[in-house]
Amino acid sequence: MSARPPAAATHSPAAPDVVVTGLGVVSAAGIGAEATWKSVVSGQPTARISPTLRGLPTDLACELDGFDAPGLLGANFARRTDRFSQLAMIAGDEALRTAGLDPSGWDGARVGVLLGSAFGGVTTLTEQAVRESRGSAVSAVTVPAVLSNMAAGLLSLAWKAHGPSLAVNTACASGATAIGLAAGLLRDDTCDIVIAGGAEAPVNRLLAAAFARMDALSLNRAAPAAASRPFDAQRDGFVLAEGAAMLVLERADDAAARHAPTLARLVGFGASADAHHFTAPHPEGRGLERAVTQALRRAGAGLADVDHVNAHATSTPKGDLAEASLLARLFGGSVSVTAPKGALGHTLGAAGAIEAALTVLSIVEQTVPPTANLDEPDALIDELDIVAGQARSQRIRLALSSSSGFGGQNAVLAFAD
Amino acid sequence: MTVIESVRDHVERTLVDSFEVEPAALRPDRTLDGLGLDSLAIVELIDIMAGDLGLILEDDALRPGMTVDEIVRALEDAGESR
């Protein structure tokens, strides 16, 4: 055991500790955080050929099997909402349940909801556009289903949460940005409870075709399960995926007062913009570096305090290289690194939230999941200690989860035990 | 089964299955409003009837104050005028 001081040990009264008291996850691995954790820890990929995308240049996706929205959420909710809101609702309900919170008993004015999504109800939008182009009437609930703020609004409505209800969009960093901003609402005493995360349901033909035109997607149809392979030498793009994750955040004192479970502390958040290119990441990860630095400063910690990094790594050649270049420069081989997108694909605006949840679970379980499909690390990024093959038991006191999005937007969350 | 019964049955089943109306609440004199359907839901009901039965109503043909009986009648009228 190291003699170093615990990360983020000191806090002024103006900056109270924020803790994670509950979480919920939905991914292609299944409904419930346990299903996703098991899939990631066992390195089990979820990518496969998607019937929805048949005939496109790439038809790979990570999708939930047999998702029964009416059965899970009721016919009215299922009929009137896009799938991204449905996934958010399921993850949010699980988060509240695990936090031991009952909306019927809380002061809703003090409860906020922050939800990130890159594309909102884009699948509904594309379906209705097809109907309109064929001369059919569009659904009367197209607008509310498509609006990207609607998932946050629906969760607030379901839970009678009257505090801030905000949609956050930093593309593929959205979920992490939402969680980072949520901590601010607790620290400045706007809220007592914030449920924050991200949701995305992007598996539709338009987005698959559009990402393919950008050369962003894996074309590995011959081996769908092996298509998403972050940091691997043979990676050729990401796999489109759906999912959602929500975290319940509270001030530590409040959580202790109600004897809530404390899964981890959210000790830092950094946000930055590359301001380099509208889609390509800065090749050396300079923007992401600023977010890492900011998150650690807020945590009262240094680079040497970091034990583990949950990387954004989407399995694209350029993106993984830029992030790896940064992580190698900052940490060398001194931190364990994992990339859950090997198992779960890229859930875009939900990814940062799902990976935040996985980072929290890594702290709870003191276990780093392997990077699925990492067989031979890219020669340019082999300085890093990327966990592959099987999960690793590790003492994790401070862990970072990094996220980046088109637009050059970055978000880094720091969690501590 | 008569055509009248068929339209009524379908409306009632749709209200229960798609709009979560309690079967016990379904009475011929209950209004859409009273059954919990808002204005958007009424347009959705019109769309479902058009899709399922091919009975086309204008968007403003049904109103919140109309009863289940009146809705069935409006749909039957639309069927007869086809």
Side-chain angles (χ1 to χ4, degrees):
Chain A
M1 179 79 85
S2 159
R4 71 190 190 196
T10 58
H11 291 285
S12 71
D17 257 350
V18 170
V19 296
V20 181
T21 58
L23 57 82
V25 182
V26 181
S27 76
I31 291 172
E34 191 179 348
T36 296
W37 176 250
K38 276 185 177 169
S39 167
V40 173
V41 161
S42 62
Q44 189 65 47
T46 58
R48 48 179 191 225
I49 303 277
S50 166
T52 307
L53 308 180
R54 185 172 293 129
L56 291 170
T58 176
D59 53 2
L60 305 174
C62 302
E63 294 174 281
L64 263 168
D65 249 347
F67 179 59
D68 176 19
L72 292 164
L73 297 164
N76 277 325
F77 194 97
R79 192 186 68 252
R80 310 186 99 179
T81 58
D82 184 87
R83 191 163 165 124
F84 93 105
S85 294
Q86 297 164 7
L87 300 178
M89 192 75 244
I90 291 167
D93 277 339
E94 183 191 7
L96 287 189
R97 209 164 49 243
T98 55
L101 286 169
D102 178 359
S104 68
W106 66 23
D107 176 5
R110 301 286 298 169
V111 180
V113 177
L114 268 69
L115 202 143
S117 184
F119 288 100
V122 66
T123 300
T124 298
L125 186 67
T126 59
E127 288 166 356
Q128 295 302 316
V130 168
R131 284 183 62 82
E132 199 284 330
S133 70
R134 292 175 178 164
S136 301
V138 300
S139 163
V141 291
T142 300
V143 170
V146 169
L147 284 169
S148 62
N149 70 325
M150 194 51 68
L154 289 164
L155 269 54
S156 295
L157 174 65
W159 300 330
K160 299 296 176 222
H162 299 285
S165 180
L166 306 173
V168 176
N169 196 339
T170 52
C172 300
S174 299
T177 306
I179 291 166
L181 294 174
L185 294 178
L186 295 164
R187 293 206 169 99
D188 71 10
D189 201 31
T190 299
C191 296
D192 294 333
I193 298 165
V194 183
I195 303 98
E200 203 82 75
V203 183
N204 66 67
R205 298 180 67 82
L206 175 65
L207 277 190
F211 277 120
R213 290 302 308 274
M214 300 181 77
D215 202 19
L217 299 179
S218 172
L219 298 172
N220 191 1
R221 296 192 74 248
S228 184
R229 42 195 319 111
F231 297 130
D232 188 88
Q234 302 302 317
R235 71 192 185 281
D236 71 332
F238 73 79
V239 175
L240 208 52
E242 64 182 354
M246 300 298 287
L247 269 55
V248 177
L249 302 170
E250 301 175 67
R251 285 182 295 275
D253 290 352
D254 294 344
R258 70 175 189 87
H259 306 292
T262 296
L263 304 177
R265 293 178 295 143
L266 173 54
V267 292
F269 167 54
S272 68
D274 283 359
H276 163 73
H277 185 270
F278 75 141
T279 57
H282 187 284
E284 294 161 3
R286 293 290 177 190
L288 188 58
E289 180 175 3
R290 276 185 284 277
V292 169
T293 305
Q294 193 182 4
L296 289 176
R297 191 171 61 240
R298 286 187 182 174
L303 291 170
D305 295 316
V306 179
D307 299 305
H308 169 60
V309 175
N310 191 306
H312 180 68
T314 65
S315 183
T316 61
K318 279 186 190 170
D320 289 13
L321 197 57
E323 186 176 13
S325 154
L326 169 67
L327 295 178
R329 194 168 72 248
L330 296 181
F331 301 108
S334 71
V335 300
S336 61
V337 176
T338 194
K341 292 185 181 77
L344 303 177
H346 191 0
T347 56
L348 309 181
I354 291 174
E355 287 155 22
L358 292 171
T359 305
V360 168
L361 291 172
S362 283
I363 289 173
V364 170
E365 302 292 338
Q366 296 287 288
T367 298
V368 179
T371 301
N373 292 320
L374 177 54
D375 297 332
E376 180 197 351
D378 187 319
L380 295 172
I381 55 180
D382 64 358
E383 279 179 78
L384 297 177
D385 176 17
I386 306 172
V387 178
Q390 57 185 12
R392 179 191 296 175
S393 287
Q394 187 195 338
R395 179 79 179 95
I396 305 171
R397 279 157 291 200
L398 181 66
L400 303 180
S401 181
S402 69
S403 300
S404 300
F406 282 172
Q409 290 151 340
N410 307 293
V412 172
L413 298 168
F415 293 99
D417 64 356
Chain B
M1 185 178 284
T2 67
V3 171
I4 293 170
E5 285 168 338
S6 173
V7 171
R8 180 179 297 279
D9 285 352
H10 199 77
V11 167
E12 292 186 350
R13 187 156 54 81
T14 300
L15 288 170
V16 171
D17 291 349
S18 299
F19 293 86
E20 299 182 42
V21 171
E22 287 296 324
L26 278 175
R27 292 194 309 269
D29 61 340
R30 286 299 295 270
T31 63
L32 290 177
D33 200 19
L35 292 173
L37 273 69
D38 57 28
S39 58
L40 280 178
I42 292 169
V43 181
E44 291 180 273
L45 178 63
I46 290 171
D47 286 348
I48 290 171
M49 291 300 124
D52 290 356
L53 304 176
L55 300 176
I56 312 294
L57 297 177
E58 294 295 323
D59 278 357
D60 59 358
L62 305 184
R63 294 178 303 281
M66 289 174 73
T67 64
V68 173
D69 253 358
E70 289 168 331
I71 293 159
V72 171
R73 209 171 305 132
L75 285 164
E76 289 166 352
D77 289 348
E80 286 167 11
S81 64
R82 276 193 298 194

